[in-house]
Amino acid sequence: MTILAFHNISWTISEFILLGFPCSQEIEILLFVLFSIMYALTLMGNGTIVYAVWWDQQLHTPLYILLANFSFLEICYINSSVPNMLANLLTKVKTISYTGCILQFYIFCSLCATELFFLVLMAFDRYVAICHPLHYPTIMTGQLCAILVSACWVGGFLWLLTPVTLLSQVPFCGPNIINHYLCDLGAMLVLSCTPVPKTTLTCGVFSALITFITLIYILGSYTQVLRAVLRVPKGSGRQKAFSTCASHLAVVSLFYGSVMMMYVNPGSVRQPEMQKFITFFYSVATPLLNPMIYSFRNKEIKAALRKILGRI
């Protein structure tokens, strides 16, 4: 009777265990070294862009202010998950508190939403610069740029308020093992004591809306940009415009491709190892590649870096 009564009690868990990358200790050490190098390079690359734009007065233009904010966003983004992942690779106890898990989900996904908004803003900036070059200085003023940048940061965190509120109301009574290296929505929903189809559907709708609406705007903007570029006579101006478009579209393809695979259907956990890889790609690999794709190929950024190195 006592045993039956004990099993009928629903316990609310106070912490989760992040399964991470289940492998031998030797492999975990190898992964720790590899991921640490990637983490350090990401911080250095994006931090260099932020410092270069802040230091060089000639780069205080809307385009480079957006790039600096985007690089700072990448630094925040990678810090929302990688330090905890690295710590778990070196420890046997891979626990995270319930509150910490909800908070990590909110910050990580809010930064993801903010990145989508920034990609839209950067597409808008290139659209105005290339399609309406004569009006660009009067449209993209410093004041408007500051307002749009602030809107991206605030909008990203506001967008996730409903999903995180719904997630915080999901009952978790065990098991508490999350088959991921971070508090991912899909991996958490599968641990719910009872099915939560409304929460799953609502979160899926929010993910799909922000993903596809922003993607449609970006594709529409760059369609207009490419049309305008093709009308420009062959020369350096046309080549530079093509280079700018190609860099942005490369980042858009990397980020949107992986995000759409993951969060349009948050309840899908059929391939947890593939989910880990995709999450790792857009949250770690993409921030590592972005400085090389966006800025280190840019003549103005490279000139600013040479000035900085010359003063050291």
Side-chain angles (χ1 to χ4, degrees):
M1 293 290 292
T2 305
I3 295 176
L4 291 176
F6 176 82
H7 282 294
N8 285 331
I9 297 176
S10 294
W11 296 97
T12 301
I13 62 175
S14 59
E15 64 181 19
F16 292 100
I17 298 174
L18 295 172
L19 190 60
F21 305 94
C23 52
S24 64
Q25 186 176 4
E26 292 77 11
I27 299 298
E28 284 189 333
I29 294 175
L30 180 62
L31 290 176
F32 175 82
V33 173
L34 176 62
F35 294 163
S36 295
I37 293 173
M38 296 178 68
Y39 177 60
L41 290 175
T42 302
L43 294 180
M44 290 173 57
N46 287 284
T48 300
I49 302 303
V50 173
Y51 181 74
V53 173
W54 173 80
W55 180 84
D56 194 337
Q57 294 290 330
Q58 294 181 348
L59 298 181
H60 290 184
T61 61
L63 172 61
Y64 295 107
I65 290 173
L66 294 180
L67 281 176
N69 272 273
F70 192 77
S71 293
F72 179 69
L73 171 62
E74 297 289 46
I75 292 174
C76 297
Y77 196 30
I78 197 169
N79 275 311
S80 67
S81 61
V82 173
N84 186 64
M85 177 185 69
L86 293 175
N88 286 340
L89 286 172
L90 295 181
T91 59
K92 293 183 178 179
V93 181
K94 309 176 190 296
T95 59
I96 182 172
S97 68
Y98 171 84
T99 303
C101 198
I102 297 294
L103 185 61
Q104 186 191 57
F105 162 78
Y106 177 63
I107 294 175
F108 180 82
C109 292
S110 294
L111 292 172
C112 178
T114 303
E115 184 152 345
L116 296 178
F117 288 139
F118 262 107
L119 290 173
V120 167
L121 180 52
M122 295 168 80
F124 171 73
D125 175 76
R126 290 301 84 199
Y127 166 76
V128 177
I130 295 175
C131 297
H132 304 282
L134 298 179
H135 300 287
Y136 182 76
T138 57
I139 295 176
M140 283 300 290
T141 61
Q143 182 180 7
L144 178 62
C145 185
I147 292 174
L148 293 177
V149 166
S150 301
C152 287
W153 283 101
V154 174
F157 281 83
L158 289 179
W159 188 265
L160 265 294
L161 284 179
T162 298
V164 76
T165 301
L166 292 175
L167 181 62
S168 66
Q169 296 172 354
V170 173
F172 296 105
C173 53
N176 65 336
I177 299 176
I178 298 177
N179 191 5
H180 213 295
Y181 66 86
L182 53 75
C183 294
D184 177 73
L185 178 61
M188 291 181 69
L189 289 179
V190 77
L191 299 180
S192 172
C193 299
T194 58
V196 283
K198 292 183 179 180
T199 298
T200 302
L201 176 62
T202 303
C203 292
V205 169
F206 268 77
S207 299
L209 281 176
I210 190 172
T211 301
F212 287 108
I213 290 176
T214 54
L215 179 59
I216 290 171
Y217 180 86
I218 290 172
L219 293 178
S221 297
Y222 273 92
T223 299
Q224 297 299 317
V225 167
L226 290 175
R227 286 179 179 177
V229 170
L230 291 174
R231 290 195 294 266
V232 176
K234 291 184 178 180
S236 59
R238 181 173 179 174
Q239 182 63 32
K240 184 177 180 180
F242 263 123
S243 178
T244 303
C245 294
S247 297
H248 193 180
L249 289 175
V251 174
V252 168
S253 299
L254 289 173
F255 193 75
Y256 274 88
S258 52
V259 167
M260 284 192 293
M261 291 178 65
M262 280 294 298
Y263 290 111
V264 171
N265 185 10
S268 176
V269 290
R270 292 184 293 272
Q271 296 178 309
E273 299 307 318
M274 180 59 70
Q275 285 192 335
K276 294 177 192 178
F277 172 78
I278 296 172
T279 304
F280 180 84
F281 183 81
Y282 74 77
S283 64
V284 180
T286 302
L288 173 64
L289 296 173
N290 281 350
M292 292 178 279
I293 295 174
Y294 262 132
S295 302
F296 290 150
R297 295 174 56 201
N298 184 284
K299 292 181 181 180
E300 287 78 8
I301 290 289
K302 288 191 286 188
L305 293 177
R306 281 193 293 267
K307 292 179 185 178
I308 294 172
L309 293 174
R311 292 202 169 196
I312 297 177

